[in-house]
C-alpha cells in the first residue's frame, strides 16, 4: 500500500551534534593509481570518480585510530556541548553499518567507552544510510513518552576493508566493465564518526526542537544495493530511479501536512554529485541551501547526515528551519524537520 508514515513531536529537541573525522586523506587519484591496471585493461577513462561522482577525496582511519574510539570522542564532545553528564543518559543507539563482529552489539563497547550508567538502554539499529535518522526518531519517541530523559545517537564507519577487498577483486583478470561499474559505489565510501544528544525541549530552551517528519518504504527494490565487508554491489541506474521516485512520492504526499518548500537548510545524505543534483531537481530545492560534504569525505553512510549538519550548524541562526532527508538501501526514505 502506498503512503507515508507521519510522526510529530511536541517536546523533543536536538541539543548537540558533533563529529570526528579520520586524519588520513585518500584522494580519488590515489585509488585510481592502485586500480591503474584495471582502468587500462577495461579502457576506462581517467578521473572517473571525480567526474562521475564528484568525490575528490575521502577519509580513512590512520594508524592508531579506530571508528569506535572516534565515535566515543564524538559522543563525549556532544555530551559536553549539550551540558549533559553521562550519568543522565538513559539511551544509547548505535546506527553504524560498519561492525567488526555480529555479536555482541557495537553499542556495548560505546556504552562502556562513554561511561554510561547501567540503567542506560543500549542497542544497535540498522537501516542502511538512514540509520542515524531512524535512531533519532526512535529516541525522540522514547523521550516524548517519558521513558527516558536524554538519549545519545552515535555512528562510526570504517570503509577500509570494503575498499581494499573491492580493489583486489577489480584487479583480477576476470573482472569486466559491468562488474567494475557494479562496484563503483564502494570506491566513493569514506570513514567518519558522529554523535547527537536529544533531550526535552521544555528543559532546554536553547535546543533545536525536532518537529517530526515522514518515512516511506519501497522494499521491492531491496536487491538494488547489497553490501557487506566483502563488497557493495549496486545497480546504479535502477537505484537512482527507484530512489528518486520514492523521494518524490514521499515529498508530494508530505506537502499536504508539511511545508518544506522553503527551508533554510536541506541536509541530504551524501552520495555523489549525480544523486545530489537529481534530488535538488526532483524536489525543486534551492541548491544554495543544500550543503555538500561528499567531495571531501565521500559517502560516510549513516554518519554523512550528522557530519554535514555539524559542519553547517555554524551558518544557522535561531528560528531557521532545517530538513534532514535521505534514501537508504532497501529502499527507504526519511525526512525530519528541525527548528533551529
Amino acid at each position: 500500500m502506498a503512503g507515508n508514515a507521519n510522526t510529530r513531536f511536541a517536546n523533543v529537541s536536538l541539543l548537540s551534534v558533533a563529529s570526528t573525522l579520520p586524519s588520513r586523506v585518500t584522494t580519488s587519484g590515489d585509488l585510481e593509481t592502485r586500480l591503474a591496471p584495471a582502468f587500462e585493461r577495461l579502457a576506462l577513462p581517467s578521473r572517473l570518480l571525480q567526474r562521475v561522482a564528484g568525490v575528490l577525496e575521502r577519509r580513512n582511519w590512520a594508524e592508531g585510530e579506530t571508528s569506535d574510539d572516534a565515535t566515543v570522542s564524538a559522543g563525549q564532545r556532544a555530551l559536553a556541548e549539550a551540558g549533559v553528564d553521562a550519568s543522565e543518559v538513559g539511551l544509547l543507539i548505535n546506527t553504524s553499518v560498519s561492525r567488526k563482529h555480529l555479536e555482541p552489539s557495537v553499542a556495548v563497547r560505546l556504552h562502556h567507552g562513554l561511561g554510561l550508567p547501567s540503567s542506560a538502554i543500549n542497542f544497535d539499529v540498522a537501516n542502511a544510510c538512514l540509520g542515524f535518522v531512524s535512531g533519532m526518531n526512535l529516541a525522540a519517541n522514547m523521550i516524548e513518552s517519558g521513558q527516558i530523559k536524554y538519549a545519545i545517537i552515535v555512528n562510526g564507519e570504517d570503509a577500509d576493508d570494503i575498499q581494499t577487498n573491492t580493489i583486489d577483486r577489480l584487479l583480477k583478470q576476470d573482472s569486466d566493465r559491468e562488474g567494475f561499474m557494479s562496484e563503483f559505489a564502494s570506491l566513493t565510501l569514506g570513514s567518519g564518526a558522529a554523535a547527537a544528544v536529544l533531550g526535552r525541549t521544555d528543559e532546554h530552551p536553547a535546543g533545536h526542537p525536532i518537529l517530526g517528519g515522514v518515512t516511506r518504504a519501497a522494499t521491492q527494490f531491496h536487491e538494488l544495493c547489497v553490501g557487506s565487508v566483502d563488497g557493495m554491489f549496486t545497480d546504479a541506474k535502477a537505484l537512482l530511479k527507484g530512489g528518486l521516485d520514492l523521494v518524490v512520492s514521499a515529498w508530494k504526499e508530505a506537502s499536504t501536512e508539511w511545508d518544506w518548500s522553503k527551508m533554510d537548510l536541506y541536509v541530504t545524505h551524501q552520495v555523489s554529485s549525480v544523486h545530489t543534483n537529481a534530488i535538488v531537481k526532483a524536489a525543486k530545492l534551492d541548491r544554495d541551501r543544500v550543503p555538500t560534504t561528499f567531495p571531501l569525505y565521500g559517502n560516510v553512510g549513516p554518519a554523512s547526515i550528522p557530519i554535514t549538519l555539524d559542519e553547517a550548524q555554524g551558518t544557522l541562526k535561531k528560528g531557521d528551519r532545517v530538513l534532514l532527508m535521505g534514501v537508504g538501501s532497501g529502499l527507504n526514505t526519511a525526512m525530519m524537520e528541525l527548528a533551529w
Side-chain angles (χ1 to χ4, degrees):
M1 295 178 64
N4 293 345
N6 279 274
T7 306
R8 287 187 179 272
F9 301 111
N11 193 29
V12 184
S13 284
L14 171 69
L15 306 185
S16 64
V17 60
S19 59
T20 303
L21 295 171
S23 63
R24 181 160 61 96
V25 176
T26 304
T27 68
S28 289
D30 293 336
L31 294 187
E32 291 196 4
T33 296
R34 292 167 63 184
L35 283 165
F39 270 73
E40 182 177 356
R41 177 169 50 82
L42 301 175
L44 293 167
S46 61
R47 303 186 72 251
L48 192 62
L49 281 162
Q50 298 96 315
R51 291 188 298 103
V52 174
V55 177
L56 306 179
E57 58 190 46
R58 77 282 295 133
R59 298 294 184 92
N60 295 99
W61 302 112
E63 187 72 26
E65 298 175 345
T66 69
S67 58
D68 286 346
D69 289 344
T71 305
V72 169
S73 175
Q76 290 170 335
R77 280 184 287 111
L79 287 170
E81 290 172 15
V84 175
D85 190 86
S87 63
E88 299 180 279
V89 175
L91 171 69
L92 177 145
I93 302 178
N94 171 66
T95 63
S96 306
V97 170
S98 300
R99 54 188 309 121
K100 292 181 174 62
H101 42 69
L102 294 177
E103 190 177 357
S105 69
V106 179
V108 295
R109 182 182 179 88
L110 305 176
H111 180 283
H112 175 71
L114 285 167
L116 301 186
S118 61
S119 56
I121 303 164
N122 62 97
F123 51 82
D124 294 348
V125 163
N127 193 17
C129 291
L130 287 182
F132 203 93
V133 177
S134 296
M136 289 178 65
N137 195 42
L138 179 56
N141 273 293
M142 293 177 68
I143 292 172
E144 190 99 315
S145 71
Q147 184 176 354
I148 58 170
K149 187 175 181 181
Y150 294 109
I152 183 166
I153 317 305
V154 296
N155 182 278
E157 300 298 339
D158 187 342
D160 281 17
D161 287 345
I162 188 172
Q163 286 184 342
T164 297
N165 293 336
T166 297
I167 289 171
D168 289 346
R169 187 163 42 250
L170 293 176
L171 287 174
K172 293 181 179 178
Q173 293 295 319
D174 59 352
S175 66
D176 57 19
R177 198 180 183 104
E178 182 179 355
F180 185 99
M181 295 313 297
S182 74
E183 297 200 63
F184 183 79
S186 299
L187 303 176
T188 70
L189 298 176
S191 303
V197 175
L198 277 60
R200 296 173 186 166
T201 303
D202 58 8
E203 296 180 354
H204 295 273
H208 317 297
I210 301 174
L211 304 184
V214 304
T215 64
R216 191 182 185 104
T219 54
Q220 67 269 31
F221 299 121
H222 64 276
E223 294 184 339
L224 293 184
C225 180
V226 179
S228 69
V229 69
D230 294 324
M232 185 166 68
F233 302 89
T234 304
D235 183 338
K237 290 184 178 179
L239 187 66
L240 178 60
K241 183 181 185 307
L244 282 177
D245 289 346
L246 180 60
V247 168
V248 170
S249 296
W251 184 268
K252 287 182 177 179
E253 182 173 319
S255 66
T256 62
E257 296 189 40
W258 303 86
D259 179 14
W260 290 332
S261 61
K262 295 181 180 179
M263 305 296 287
D264 294 290
L265 200 71
Y266 298 92
V267 182
T268 63
H269 170 53
Q270 304 291 303
V271 180
S272 68
S273 55
V274 173
H275 289 77
T276 300
N277 293 337
I279 288 177
V280 166
K281 181 179 179 180
K284 299 179 181 178
L285 307 182
D286 182 345
R287 185 65 181 79
D288 292 336
R289 300 184 181 188
V290 184
T292 56
T293 54
F294 67 80
L296 299 183
Y297 304 150
N299 178 354
V300 198
S304 69
I305 285 179
I307 287 174
T308 305
L309 178 61
D310 180 25
E311 299 221 337
Q313 64 178 325
T315 68
L316 295 168
K317 61 184 184 299
K318 188 171 181 60
D320 281 350
R321 300 175 65 203
V322 179
L323 187 67
L324 312 182
M325 57 189 301
V327 179
S329 300
L331 290 168
N332 286 292
T333 189
M335 302 170 193
M336 174 181 280
E337 182 176 353
L338 311 178
W340 209 258

